[in-house]
């Protein structure tokens, strides 16, 4: 085997273990926090790990009418795309493929994860509830991506004159969005950040946007037919996706490392940055998932689309206009 | 109960001028139940949808038939009372209350006045716990788990109070033909007062949440609308009909037990909100305000409760002996948390009832699901079905087994309970 391919495989393995661990840890913490806020004791923080291990040992049941290879392939596709996306997003230190990918690739890979769920649920499981779930997942995908794209393209446009490669995530660590111009830009960036937080909730289908997997409505929706290792793979992919998208928020809006300020270099510095990054994504996950999940009911699909297209999209555009005014005038 | 649901597209579902769209969008039929996360008990809804819109609804019941009436006719008066208590776990006071009233009516037994008041107090305490349970379930159905956990925490206190009063949390064992089995003493009254204070505040808070929470409003307003006309025509009962603006409440209309002395007025949304839509939100508001009303009824009952005996006859055997001499018919009724329960009993000069008929509110209210769901979205199904507060174990009096030979090649065979027992014995013990 080629040396480069070997290296790539090692890196993928490391990425999988690190982000998988973080993802399960955070979903455990999220469950515990929500439980405490609801006045329950809640499961132990290690529960997602235990669930994963147990699912891995269970039988993988494929429905009678399902297209077997597609049904089995979908979770692998979902996992592969989220691990790949983690190679382009900084998690405390600069990403492994820092000089190859850009924001559009990241958006594409994040979409691929949702599409993998749709493929597995709709075209191959032959279940009515899964098909309904897949429909809803697609609608969510379409509605959620509009404000997200506005944020990313708008910000890339704004930093274009300041850096060499505007669509690279590394460029965002070179400029500080918040203080690059006057107060109007600050407000605009804050509005975009709020929009991004709402998009995280929708992308991870948490709380009010838990529409595709609505337990009481369509009995678990997209994942209703999955069991055993395939379900475990999906769970792992979803946990990593949570880390990926919150890391993306950190990389766009709060890329500032701690090691420069404190003045520690080398391995210790990287470790410090990693811990700081974990703290940042924890705060983002807490605000955009745990709290929202506790204080809101699930919306209907029409209400969710209306929220993203007719509330959040104009909101993000207004934020963008604020930034533009100060830049152009 | 079960209509023939094979004609999936019925006339009511189709809206005039919508014909062209129907040809393009294919309809699919979703089975909700008998086992589904939105349902707490087995009942089957066959729902035909176009995209996300519901165009036809069919209800099938009978998955929880246990032959309670049949069993009751083979036990004596007192044993049947215990059976009546076990018809349902949530309305576990409703059925014995009704049964004792019917039996007393049939056998001409006088109930002491104090017992009537104690019965009312237990009934209202049960209404509080049942409505709190319902609010929790409604929260769960719309994906608002916080409401579920908080209301059930609040509900825990009333279960403790009921245990203190009666000795049990769920099946109270408080009823007796011709009275109640335990008196409410001074120490009980102190504890009740303390709890009522707590529940007054809790009810105010819950009403506040229910009226002003944005997401609750988004999910509950303008869905599952039951017009006043439909509510009257289908003779819908309880909070479901009151939510449509019909002033129907057995406690107000009949004044049985001590309700006549206390005076109860039906809670309707036009008094609270100013207008009636008949949607899920109105039904929720009615239930929340009824929490407060129940607290007031208990307070009044405690004030007005006269002293005296609580039982007509303390010795059960003597009571049965006396009932053996009587023959006649009796009706018992009670406004359960879900609506009016009626029980009919015929006494035939024997130690057991000659006929026992139970009519629970859910059997009427289930029919309301069709007008409520038509035109709504799939996402509304759980909350709309939950909004009638269905209690299937109370409802199922009969099971219909389909024997359509065209459809299934295998012939279905019906067994009686005795045959089944026989088969079981042969297999296991021989």
């Amino acid at each position: 085997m080629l040396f480069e391919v070997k290296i790539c495989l090692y890196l993928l393995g490391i990425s999988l273990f690190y982000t998988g661990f973080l993802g399960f840890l955070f979903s455990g913490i999220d469950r515990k926090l929500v439980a405490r806020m609801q006045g329950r004791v809640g499961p132990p923080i290690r529960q997602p790990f235990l669930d994963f291990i147990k699912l891995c040992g269970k039988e993988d049941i494929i429905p009678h009418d399902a297209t077997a290879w597609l049904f089995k392939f979908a979770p692998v596709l979902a996992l592969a795309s989220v691990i790949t996306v983690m190679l382009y997003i900084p998690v405390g230190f600069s990403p492994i493929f820092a000089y190859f990918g850009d924001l559009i690739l990241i958006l594409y890979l994040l979409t691929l994860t949702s599409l993998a769920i749709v493929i597995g649920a709709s075209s191959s499981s032959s279940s009515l509830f899964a098909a309904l779930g897949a429909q809803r997942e697609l609608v969510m995908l379409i509605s959620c991506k509009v404000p997200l794209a506005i944020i990313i393209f708008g910000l890339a446009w704004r930093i274009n004159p300041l850096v060499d490669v505007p669509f690279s995530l590394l460029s965002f660590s070179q400029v500080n969005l918040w203080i690059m111009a006057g107060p109007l830009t600050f407000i605009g960036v804050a509005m975009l950040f709020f929009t991004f937080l709402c998009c995280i909730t929708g992308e991870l289908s948490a709380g009010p946007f838990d529409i595709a997997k609505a337990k009481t409505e369509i009995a678990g929706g997209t994942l209703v037919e999955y069991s055993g290792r395939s379900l475990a793979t999906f769970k792992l992919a979803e946990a990593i996706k949570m880390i990926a998208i919150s890391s993306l928020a950190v990389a766009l809006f709060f890329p500032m490392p701690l090691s420069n300020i404190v003045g520690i270099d080398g391995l210790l510095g990287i470790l410090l940055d990693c811990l700081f990054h974990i703290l940042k994504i924890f705060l983002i996950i807490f605000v955009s998932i745990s709290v929202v999940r506790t204080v809101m009911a699930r919306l209907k699909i029409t209400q969710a689309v209306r929220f993203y297209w007719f509330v959040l999209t104009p909101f993000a555009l207004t934020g963008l206009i604020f930034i533009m005014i100060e830049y152009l005038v | 109960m079960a209509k023939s649901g094979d004609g999936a597209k019925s006339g009511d579902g189709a809206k005039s001028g919508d014909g062209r769209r129907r040809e393009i969008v294919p309809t699919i039929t979703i089975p909700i139940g008998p086992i589904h996360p939105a349902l707490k008990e087995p009942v089957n809804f066959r729902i035909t949808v176009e995209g996300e819109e519901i165009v036809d609804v069919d209800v099938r019941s009978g998955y929880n038939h246990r032959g309670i009436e049949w069993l009751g006719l083979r036990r004596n008066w007192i044993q049947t009372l215990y059976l009546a208590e076990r018809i349902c776990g949530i309305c576990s006071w409703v059925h014995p209350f009704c049964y004792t009233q019917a039996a007393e009516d049939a056998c001409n037994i006088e109930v002491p006045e104090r017992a009537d008041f104690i019965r009312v107090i237990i009934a209202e305490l049960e209404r509080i716990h049942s409505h709190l349970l319902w609010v929790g379930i409604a929260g769960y159905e719309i994906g608002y788990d916080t409401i579920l956990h908080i209301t059930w925490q609040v509900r825990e206190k009333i279960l403790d109070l009921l245990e203190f009063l009666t000795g049990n949390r769920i099946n109270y064992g408080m009823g007796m033909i011709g009275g109640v089995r335990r008196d409410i003493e001074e120490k009980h009254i102190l504890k009740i007062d303390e709890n009522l204070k707590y529940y007054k505040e809790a009810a105010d808070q819950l009403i506040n949440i229910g009226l002003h929470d944005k997401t609750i409003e988004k999910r509950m307003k303008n869905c599952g609308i039951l017009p006043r006309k439909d509510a009257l025509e289908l003779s819908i009962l309880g909070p479901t009909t009151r939510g449509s603006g019909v002033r129907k409440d057995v406690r107000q209309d009949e004044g049985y037990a001590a309700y006549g002395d206390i005076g109860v007025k039906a809670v309707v949304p036009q008094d609270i909100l100013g207008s009636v839509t008949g949607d899920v939100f109105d039904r929720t508001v009615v239930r929340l305000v009824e929490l407060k009303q129940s607290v007031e009824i208990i307070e009044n009952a405690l004030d007005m409760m006269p002293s005296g005996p609580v039982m007509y006859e303390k010795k059960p055997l003597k009571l049965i002996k006396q009932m053996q001499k009587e023959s006649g018919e009796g009706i018992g009724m009670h406004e359960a948390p879900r609506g009016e329960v009626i029980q009919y009993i015929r006494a035939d000069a024997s130690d057991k009832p000659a006929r026992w008929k139970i009519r629970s509110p859910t059997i009427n209210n289930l029919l309301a699901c069709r007008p409520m769901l038509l035109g709504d979205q799939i996402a509304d199904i759980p909350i709309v079905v939950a909004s009638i507060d269905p209690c299937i174990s109370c409802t199922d009096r009969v099971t219909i087994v389909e024997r359509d030979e065209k459809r299934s090649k295998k012939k279905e065979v019906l067994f009686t309970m005795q045959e089944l027992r026989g088969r079981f014995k042969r297999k296991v013990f021989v």
Side-chain angles (χ1 to χ4, degrees):
Chain A
M1 207 186 282
L2 276 172
F3 181 67
E4 284 85 358
V5 175
K6 247 184 195 173
I7 289 281
C8 277
L9 284 179
Y10 277 128
L11 290 178
L12 272 177
I14 292 168
S15 164
L16 174 64
F17 274 104
Y18 180 63
T19 52
F21 175 77
L22 270 191
F24 280 148
L25 182 70
F26 276 122
S27 48
I29 292 173
D30 166 59
R31 283 172 71 177
K32 191 79 180 174
L33 283 174
V34 170
R36 295 308 300 162
M37 283 190 275
Q38 290 175 340
R40 295 185 281 134
V41 177
I45 287 171
R46 63 174 187 281
Q47 192 61 45
F49 295 97
L50 301 179
D51 288 349
F52 179 75
I53 292 165
K54 189 169 184 185
L55 277 176
C56 282
K58 291 278 180 190
E59 190 190 358
D60 209 350
I61 299 165
I62 298 167
H64 192 65
D65 300 330
T67 318
W69 70 271
L70 209 55
F71 189 75
K72 274 183 168 171
F73 172 66
V76 179
L77 180 64
L79 185 61
S81 57
V82 280
I83 301 170
T84 319
V85 96
M86 283 315 291
L87 296 179
Y88 296 99
I89 300 177
V91 279
F93 45 90
S94 59
I96 297 155
F97 288 168
Y99 298 100
F100 299 101
D102 57 13
L103 277 167
I104 296 173
L105 178 71
I106 290 169
L107 265 190
Y108 166 73
L109 286 172
L110 282 175
T111 314
L112 198 60
T113 322
S114 310
L115 274 181
I117 293 178
V118 173
I119 291 169
S122 70
S123 59
S124 51
S125 76
S126 80
S127 160
L128 197 61
F129 290 117
L132 280 170
Q135 260 180 29
R136 291 171 166 203
E137 178 89 34
L138 266 180
V139 174
M140 277 307 288
L141 190 74
I142 296 162
S143 51
C144 211
K145 279 292 183 303
V146 175
L148 200 62
I150 288 174
I151 298 167
I152 285 173
F153 287 108
L155 287 179
W157 170 80
R158 177 61 184 86
I159 66 164
N160 189 21
L162 303 175
V163 292
D164 304 332
V165 208
F167 271 105
S168 166
L169 268 180
L170 275 188
S171 311
F172 281 90
S173 60
Q174 289 162 11
V175 288
N176 194 337
L177 289 173
W178 302 85
I179 50 169
M180 66 185 169
L184 217 51
T185 308
F186 184 85
I187 296 170
V189 172
M191 283 167 84
L192 289 187
F193 179 60
F194 177 77
T195 315
F196 202 101
L197 285 183
C198 295
C199 286
I200 293 178
T201 320
E203 278 282 324
L204 299 171
S205 56
F209 305 113
D210 175 29
I211 301 168
K213 286 203 241 14
K215 183 169 50 177
T216 47
E217 290 161 23
I218 46 174
T222 42
L223 297 184
V224 68
E225 292 296 336
Y226 276 99
S227 57
R229 274 188 301 282
S230 299
L231 184 61
T233 316
F234 264 133
K235 294 256 176 214
L236 182 60
E238 274 174 3
I240 296 178
K241 196 181 175 189
M242 180 164 81
I243 298 300
I245 196 153
S246 50
S247 295
L248 183 63
V250 168
L252 283 177
F253 292 97
F254 303 103
M256 314 79 171
L258 194 63
S259 54
N260 293 359
I261 302 162
V262 186
I264 302 171
D265 281 349
L267 209 60
L268 205 65
I270 291 177
L271 198 69
L272 195 66
D273 279 344
C274 274
L275 288 176
F276 191 46
H277 176 261
I278 289 173
L279 180 71
K280 283 190 271 191
I281 57 175
F282 167 71
L283 287 177
I284 284 180
I285 288 173
F286 179 70
V287 173
S288 64
I289 297 178
S290 308
V291 173
V292 172
R293 207 150 76 87
T294 316
V295 299
M296 281 178 88
R298 190 191 302 116
L299 294 175
K300 293 182 209 171
I301 187 77
T302 45
Q303 289 168 342
V305 175
R306 223 172 286 145
F307 174 70
Y308 276 113
W309 280 5
F310 302 119
V311 179
L312 217 52
T313 306
F315 187 74
L317 283 173
T318 323
L320 205 57
I321 287 167
F322 280 174
I323 296 173
M324 277 166 84
I325 289 170
E326 224 165 36
Y327 175 60
L328 297 174
V329 175
Chain B
M1 184 73 252
K3 298 178 270 95
S4 63
D6 306 45
K9 289 175 201 170
S10 80
D12 298 49
K15 281 167 193 161
S16 55
D18 228 21
R20 239 184 75 221
R21 212 180 114 230
R22 163 144 313 173
E23 279 163 26
I24 303 162
V25 184
T27 57
I28 41 172
T29 306
I30 316 173
I32 303 281
I35 314 268
H36 189 276
L39 302 169
K40 304 288 160 281
E41 286 176 281
V43 62
N44 177 246
F45 293 93
R46 289 181 191 194
I47 289 166
T48 312
V49 291
E50 274 179 16
E52 284 259 339
E53 193 191 326
I54 298 165
V55 292
D56 192 29
V57 181
D58 185 19
V59 188
R60 274 152 199 255
S61 179
Y63 298 93
N64 211 358
H65 174 53
R66 293 158 297 168
I68 287 246
E69 286 170 353
W70 186 88
L71 290 170
L73 302 184
R74 275 144 192 87
R75 280 155 172 76
N76 73 29
W77 288 105
I78 307 283
Q79 287 170 324
T80 308
L81 171 64
Y82 283 77
L83 201 61
E85 187 143 15
R86 276 148 189 82
I87 290 173
C88 171
I90 303 299
C91 354
S92 55
W93 176 247
V94 167
H95 291 292
F97 188 8
C98 239
Y99 172 80
T100 46
Q101 281 187 64
E104 285 150 10
D105 191 14
C107 300
N108 304 318
I109 292 171
E110 276 282 312
V111 187
E113 216 176 324
R114 190 177 172 83
D116 267 343
F117 278 90
I118 293 175
R119 282 176 178 183
V120 165
I121 289 168
I122 302 287
E124 292 309 312
L125 286 175
E126 193 192 55
R127 189 184 316 278
I128 293 176
H129 110 72
S130 177
H131 279 354
L132 281 174
L133 179 121
W134 180 84
V135 174
I137 287 184
Y140 169 78
E141 304 283 13
I142 59 171
Y144 205 159
D145 284 4
T146 313
I147 293 271
L148 168 76
H149 295 298
I150 287 173
T151 46
W152 284 32
Q153 227 170 25
V154 173
R155 173 174 170 260
E156 203 59 22
K157 260 196 139 155
I158 210 131
L159 293 180
D160 289 345
L161 176 65
L162 279 165
E163 188 186 9
F164 186 65
L165 290 180
T166 66
N168 294 300
R169 278 162 61 91
I170 300 294
N171 288 117
Y172 315 118
M174 188 76 163
M176 173 53 75
I177 295 167
V180 287
R181 283 179 57 216
R182 286 163 187 244
D183 198 359
I184 289 184
E185 291 159 19
E186 202 53 45
K187 59 174 182 180
H188 295 127
I189 292 176
L190 283 175
K191 190 98 188 240
I192 293 174
D193 279 341
E194 186 188 308
N195 274 280
L196 287 188
K197 235 182 244 164
Y198 172 74
Y199 276 102
K200 249 186 186 165
E201 282 171 26
D204 279 336
Q205 274 179 8
L206 280 172
I207 291 170
N208 194 18
I209 293 173
L211 289 181
H212 298 117
D213 192 295
K214 276 278 174 278
T215 41
I216 289 184
E217 207 178 293
K218 274 211 148 142
R219 283 307 302 272
M220 290 186 174
K221 270 208 169 149
N222 295 321
C223 82
I225 294 175
L226 181 72
R228 190 188 150 90
K229 188 171 152 276
D230 282 0
L232 284 171
E233 277 173 1
L234 289 168
S235 114
I236 308 301
L237 300 165
T240 315
T241 191
R242 289 199 283 279
S244 298
V246 183
R247 289 181 200 272
K248 194 196 262 182
D249 191 324
V250 196
R251 293 174 294 173
Q252 166 199 292
D253 302 339
E254 300 291 335
Y256 59 99
Y259 282 118
D261 299 340
I262 295 163
V264 184
K265 276 186 95 179
V267 177
V268 278
Q270 56 259 44
D271 295 348
I272 309 150
L273 302 169
S275 63
V276 194
T277 2
D279 54 6
V280 178
F281 186 75
D282 282 358
R283 270 163 251 149
T284 311
V285 169
V286 165
R287 286 201 176 89
L288 287 175
V289 174
E290 276 185 11
L291 286 177
K292 237 172 135 181
Q293 188 196 27
S294 289
V295 171
E296 279 160 20
I297 292 175
I298 298 169
E299 275 175 347
N300 288 338
L302 283 175
D303 286 345
M304 295 160 72
M305 194 159 63
S307 54
V310 292
M311 260 200 229
Y312 172 75
E313 175 54 64
K314 276 192 177 163
K315 291 174 183 157
L317 279 178
K318 216 170 157 188
L319 186 71
I320 292 175
K321 271 255 166 73
Q322 192 193 330
M323 290 173 86
Q324 256 176 3
K325 290 171 201 156
E326 304 280 346
S327 57
E329 287 175 323
I331 290 270
M333 68 193 92
H334 174 47
E335 179 74 21
R338 286 153 186 79
E340 182 191 27
V341 175
I342 295 177
Q343 292 194 8
Y344 163 83
I345 283 180
R346 199 171 73 235
D348 222 2
S350 123
D351 63 340
K352 47 190 162 235
R355 181 75 183 95
W356 181 30
K357 170 75 194 140
I358 308 157
R359 204 292 318 269
S360 72
T362 306
I363 200 150
N364 295 28
N365 290 352
L366 262 183
L367 297 175
C369 282
R370 192 181 148 85
M372 280 181 195
L373 281 171
L374 286 180
D376 279 358
Q377 292 180 19
I378 297 175
D380 294 326
I381 298 170
I383 182 65
V384 170
V385 170
S387 77
I388 64 163
D389 204 356
C391 182
I392 308 302
S393 64
C394 295
T395 306
D396 280 350
R397 296 277 87 83
V398 67
T399 294
I400 299 163
V401 180
E402 267 183 67
R403 298 184 73 181
D404 192 349
E405 263 131 58
K406 268 184 225 160
R407 226 192 267 169
S408 60
K409 282 170 197 163
K410 251 190 188 173
K411 248 190 177 177
E412 282 176 70
V413 190
L414 284 173
F415 293 108
T416 64
M417 209 60 205
Q418 224 124 43
E419 280 170 356
L420 273 177
R421 275 195 200 117
R423 281 167 72 91
F424 185 67
K425 264 182 197 164
R426 272 203 300 284
K427 268 190 185 167
V428 177
F429 299 113
V430 179

